């Protein structure tokens, strides 16, 4: 994952909190998976012009919709989780074109909520 994207995402997510329970390990993994999807779209699918700020807002929106409390976000090694998610995503044995189309179809609509 690009360093600037990681820093931007971490800064935005670290500051968010709500009244729900602290972020669980599975929720942290889900957040890392979604982050990896956006990074994959940017790095491997030609969506390099997606604004990092909009991606960060989409991730926070996703967490809010799931009522996740990100106050303990920094207690997880999100870099390692994100890199593992990205590696898993990269290793899916379908053509990159099909993978990109599927990821774009299933995740880019989230960006529409946070413009």
């Amino acid at each position: 994952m690009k360093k600037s994207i990681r820093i931007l995402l971490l800064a935005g997510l670290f500051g968010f909190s709500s009244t729900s329970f602290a972020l669980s390990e599975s929720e942290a993994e889900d957040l890392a998976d979604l982050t990896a999807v956006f990074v994959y779209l940017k790095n491997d699918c030609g969506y390099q012009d997606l604004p990092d700020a909009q991606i960060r807002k989409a991730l926070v929106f996703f967490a809010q919709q799931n009522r996740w409390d990100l106050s303990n976000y920094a207690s997880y090694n999100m870099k390692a989780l994100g890199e593992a998610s990205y590696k898993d995503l990269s290793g899916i044995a379908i053509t990159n074109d099909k993978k990109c189309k599927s990821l774009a179809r299933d995740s880019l609509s989230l960006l529409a909520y946070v413009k």
Side-chain angles (χ1 to χ4, degrees):
M1 187 181 315
K2 289 185 177 179
K3 184 177 179 181
S4 61
I5 294 172
R6 278 193 309 250
I7 291 169
L8 191 61
L9 295 174
L10 178 60
L13 292 173
F14 185 69
F16 173 79
S17 67
S18 81
T19 58
S20 60
F21 297 107
L23 191 67
S24 71
E25 185 173 344
S26 66
E27 292 165 346
E29 289 172 356
D30 288 346
L31 201 52
D33 290 344
L34 183 56
T35 302
V37 166
F38 284 118
V39 172
Y40 191 89
L41 287 169
K42 284 188 77 146
N43 292 344
D44 300 284
C45 299
Y47 289 92
Q48 60 273 10
D49 293 334
L50 287 176
D52 292 341
Q54 191 174 1
I55 292 171
R56 183 183 68 243
K57 288 178 185 178
L59 292 167
V60 170
F61 176 79
F62 179 78
Q64 287 174 328
Q65 292 302 304
N66 286 291
R67 301 188 193 286
W68 293 347
D69 176 0
L70 300 178
S71 62
N72 66 330
Y73 176 87
S75 67
Y76 292 98
N77 186 345
M78 295 303 289
K79 177 182 177 186
L81 289 173
E83 289 173 352
S85 294
Y86 185 86
K87 182 179 177 184
D88 290 345
L89 187 56
S90 297
I92 295 173
I94 61 172
T95 66
N96 196 56
D97 186 53
K98 283 185 178 183
K99 192 182 317 183
C100 290
K101 285 179 183 177
S102 178
L103 292 173
R105 181 188 64 240
D106 294 340
S107 59
L108 290 179
S109 61
L110 184 59
L111 298 176
Y113 292 100
V114 297
K115 282 188 175 184

